[in-house]
Amino acid sequence: MATLKFLSFLILQLFFVANNCEGVEVGFYKQTCPNVEAIVKETIKHYISIAPTLAAPLLRMHFHDCFVRGCDGSVLLNSTKGNKAEKDAIPNQSLRGFQVIDAAKSALEKECPGIVSCSDILALAARDAVSLINGPTWSVPLGRRDGRVSILSEASKNLPTPFDNFTTLKTTFGALGLNVKDLVVLSGGHTIGMSHCFSFSSRLYNFTGKGDMDPSMDQNYINRLKIKCRPADVTTIVEMDPGSFKSFDTDYYTMVSKRRGLFASDAALLTDTQTKHYVLSQLNPHGSTFFKDFGESMVKMGQIGILTGRAGEIRKHCAFRN
């Protein structure tokens, strides 16, 4: 009986592997939906031309998707009567651009219905958003399928926060197969976008609970931020990379090197030898490897916990399970 149980278990495992081992590849849709990349890019281009600040949220959305349950589009699912989804977790309540993903999905459903996953659209949208604001481009392996589960508490638990120190960041990234270089490279995504004051106000007003400021932050920068962000301000937003927040470039590393990284997690990059070396190595724009590195780390991140083969589904609408 024990042998039969073991054989049944083994057969189930082999069935799972056989249906989830195909992986992703560049050109996955060349036979089934050859215009997929052009359609997504045209959609992203349309929205970015109207609102360039959407680039950062689209990049962040892919990041937040991959860090919870892998890159399976679970961040796109709406909550239901019986389940609160990732989308409603506090770190995700500031996400924007869901209408962009829906527009791309709608266009693809007209061209090749039931073929392209929402998780693949997210990966392409992140790449295209970055490239359209003067950033790098890279080849995106495709073939992900969409997950059917999205749980609010998992997003609250698994997403990195702006308050994390280096040890916490290294652990969070490492648990997903991302190394220290990936950590410092992907942090460079903070070169675009905006942030609410509450994500860093403790550094300005109450760093250790004694009404003090963060000594690792440049004093002049603190004084400038205090003009915009008053204590307990929960509505004001500021540029994450002042003067350059709409352009994808290496200025983020310049800000961090001057102790002007907005978040505690940005400042943390100067507390580790390897990440500090990377930050400083990007200051010469002609010797910078950031664009190349960013594409490589994005491809690596985009393969975290993916569903392939017969696992998951291809959603008809990205906010709802089939």
Side-chain angles (χ1 to χ4, degrees), residues 224-237:
R224 282 167 50 194
L225 289 170
K226 280 185 170 182
I227 295 171
K228 297 180 179 179
C229 298
R230 308 307 299 169
D233 185 338
V234 296
T235 56
T236 304
I237 56 174

Side-chain angles (χ1 to χ4, degrees), residues 77-92:
L77 287 171
N78 285 348
S79 293
T80 61
K81 188 176 181 180
N83 177 68
K84 287 287 186 182
E86 293 170 34
K87 189 185 283 188
D88 290 327
I90 290 175
N92 287 334

Side-chain angles (χ1 to χ4, degrees), residues 265-308:
S265 59
D266 296 324
L269 300 180
L270 295 180
T271 65
D272 172 77
T273 305
Q274 185 178 343
T275 53
K276 182 177 182 179
H277 174 75
Y278 187 87
V279 168
L280 298 178
S281 72
Q282 303 309 308
L283 301 187
N284 178 357
H286 300 296
S288 172
T289 59
F290 175 51
F291 276 26
K292 173 179 171 290
D293 296 338
F294 192 79
E296 290 175 354
S297 288
M298 285 295 290
V299 169
K300 189 174 176 182
M301 184 192 79
Q303 299 190 43
I304 294 171
I306 54 173
L307 302 173
T308 59

Side-chain angles (χ1 to χ4, degrees), residues 103-119:
K105 178 62 172 174
S106 179
L108 286 167
E109 285 298 304
K110 289 176 183 175
E111 176 86 4
C112 32
I115 299 296
V116 181
S117 67
C118 298
S119 46

Side-chain angles (χ1 to χ4, degrees), residues 187-302:
S187 294
H190 289 171
T191 187
I192 53 174
M194 311 282 286
S195 170
H196 284 90
C197 293
F198 60 74
S199 295
F200 58 87
S201 60
S202 62
R203 303 185 73 198
L204 312 182
Y205 295 107
N206 197 27
F207 188 59
T208 64
K210 299 177 181 177
D212 54 343
M213 297 175 284
D214 184 349
S216 72
M217 186 180 247
D218 176 70
Q219 181 67 57
N220 291 328
Y221 191 42
I222 287 177
N223 293 338
R224 282 167 50 194
L225 289 170
K226 280 185 170 182
I227 295 171
K228 297 180 179 179
C229 298
R230 308 307 299 169
D233 185 338
V234 296
T235 56
T236 304
I237 56 174
V238 300
E239 300 170 11
M240 289 164 63
D241 185 359
S244 179
F245 76 105
K246 291 182 184 178
S247 179
F248 199 95
D249 51 36
T250 60
D251 283 1
Y252 166 78
Y253 295 110
T254 302
M255 293 293 289
V256 171
S257 71
K258 293 178 177 179
R259 300 190 300 122
R260 293 183 179 182
L262 198 57
F263 304 138
S265 59
D266 296 324
L269 300 180
L270 295 180
T271 65
D272 172 77
T273 305
Q274 185 178 343
T275 53
K276 182 177 182 179
H277 174 75
Y278 187 87
V279 168
L280 298 178
S281 72
Q282 303 309 308
L283 301 187
N284 178 357
H286 300 296
S288 172
T289 59
F290 175 51
F291 276 26
K292 173 179 171 290
D293 296 338
F294 192 79
E296 290 175 354
S297 288
M298 285 295 290
V299 169
K300 189 174 176 182
M301 184 192 79

Side-chain angles (χ1 to χ4, degrees), residues 177-192:
L178 299 174
N179 59 31
V180 170
K181 183 179 180 183
D182 297 316
L183 191 170
V184 66
V185 169
L186 293 172
S187 294
H190 289 171
T191 187
I192 53 174

